[in-house]
Structure formats: C-alpha cells, structure tokens
Amino acid sequence: YYNGVTITATSLSCSGQLPVVSDTHIVYPNLLQMFEGDVDIGATTGVPIPAQTTGSSFTLSLRIRSSVSYLLAFQFRLYFDPTLIQATSCQSAGVGWSGLATCSINSPTNQALFIGSNPASTLIGPDLQVATLTMKAVGNNALASITGQVESLITAAGELCNTTYPCAIVSGQVVVRLGNGAKSELLLDVPY
C-alpha cells in the first residue's frame, strides 16, 4: 500500500563557507509523472485514493497528459474487481472536457469506459481532467487494484501512444485499501 517514504537531502560544505541546507519531504511511490498520452487516476498529491471503509463511496478524477498538442479525442477503459469495489456513476462532460463525451459502467461489471471527441478542442496541458468515476467499497480487509488501458488518444499532432493500441495505463494504476479496519496495516501481495 502507499506508505510515504521520508527523504532528507543535506548539502555539506567542506570549507565551511557555505551554509548547510537540509530539507525533508514525504514522497509517495504512486505519484509517477505521467508521460505524454498517459491517464492518471485519483489525487495529484499524497495518496491517490485514501483508505475506504466498507460501504463508503469515493470519487476519482481521471486525467490525461496532452501537453504537446491539443487533445481532440480519447477512449480509455478502467478495470477493477467488482467483488471489492463497484462503479456507481461516471461523468465525462463538464469536468474540463468541452466536447462530446460519454462513459459506461458495469457492462461488464469489472469495467468503466470513457470516450470523448472534440475536433475543435484547444485543450492542452500536462494534467487535463476529462472525467470522474464514483465507486463504492464493497470488500473488507483487502487491497483493490484499478488498472486500465488507453484504446485511443488523438491530438492535433496525431495519435498519442508509445506503442500500438491498446496502451497500458502506467502512472494511473492505483491500489485502494478497503475495510472497516482500513487504517491497520495489511500484508497482502498486490501486483502492480
């Protein structure tokens, strides 16, 4: 799970003429920098999805990196275990995306699909919110993975995918801790 790692950096001066500078930050391993054409899920700082108690609902922001050219169209799919977390609603329009948009959940129950298109789009940036997904924690004392794949991402400069489609979502893969004792430490092997 996402435990912060404290990193301290200190500069030293052998001659003693420069002041010693030290700073400490907590770093979370899930906050990978999105590469061009990748999708990110959850919060942009700290833990992407805080621990959830069984029965609670939580909303995820879904973002795309298109910082080189205007984002014109996208299609991506998220996967999850519906025995642990369930999709309850989704929204694609009105959250930063100004074009045609749709999303589909529970068809099948382990997936959520997001599609958007706007040939006249002038949306560009490193962290573009294009949709939200609301989920419900139904599992208890477990870690639930959310993964996904980009099926199409088109900018004014062309396709955005480092390989042939579908491209695995890299920086956006997340894990959420579930259960009424969600704050206790769980020792489960969850593949990333």
Side-chain angles (χ1 to χ4, degrees):
Y1 188 65
Y2 303 110
N3 291 322
V5 176
T6 302
I7 296 176
T8 302
T10 303
S11 67
L12 299 175
S13 169
C14 294
S15 67
Q17 294 179 7
L18 298 174
V20 174
V21 177
S22 181
D23 198 5
T24 301
H25 292 280
I26 296 177
V27 178
Y28 291 91
N30 61 295
L31 295 174
L32 298 173
Q33 178 66 40
M34 283 192 296
F35 61 84
E36 198 69 11
D38 200 8
V39 174
D40 200 8
I41 302 168
T44 57
T45 61
V47 178
I49 307 171
Q52 300 293 318
T53 58
T54 303
S56 66
S57 291
F58 54 99
T59 300
L60 308 174
S61 64
L62 308 173
R63 297 173 309 282
I64 294 174
R65 181 181 181 99
S66 179
S67 58
V68 175
S69 186
Y70 299 137
L71 178 63
L72 303 180
F74 60 86
Q75 180 171 325
F76 62 92
R77 191 177 305 264
L78 301 181
Y79 301 97
F80 47 88
D81 182 343
T83 66
L84 299 176
I85 52 178
Q86 297 174 349
T88 58
S89 68
C90 61
Q91 180 182 358
S92 288
V95 292
W97 180 253
S98 60
L100 297 174
T102 189
C103 53
S104 172
I105 58 173
N106 300 319
S107 182
T109 59
N110 69 330
Q111 297 179 22
L113 174 66
F114 300 87
I115 301 171
S117 175
N118 182 357
S121 172
T122 57
L123 194 60
I124 188 170
D127 198 24
L128 306 173
Q129 186 173 348
V130 296
T132 60
L133 175 64
T134 301
M135 304 191 86
K136 182 176 182 178
V138 293
N140 192 21
N141 296 326
L143 295 177
S145 295
I146 302 174
T147 61
Q149 64 185 22
V150 176
E151 296 171 353
S152 181
L153 238 166
I154 301 171
T155 70
E159 293 278 340
L160 269 184
C161 193
N162 292 339
T163 60
T164 57
Y165 287 109
C167 303
I169 291 174
V170 177
S171 64
Q173 295 187 39
V174 295
V175 175
V176 60
R177 187 186 311 231
L178 306 172
N180 293 327
K183 294 186 188 275
S184 64
E185 197 63 36
L186 295 175
L187 301 175
L188 298 176
D189 184 21
V190 177
Y192 289 95

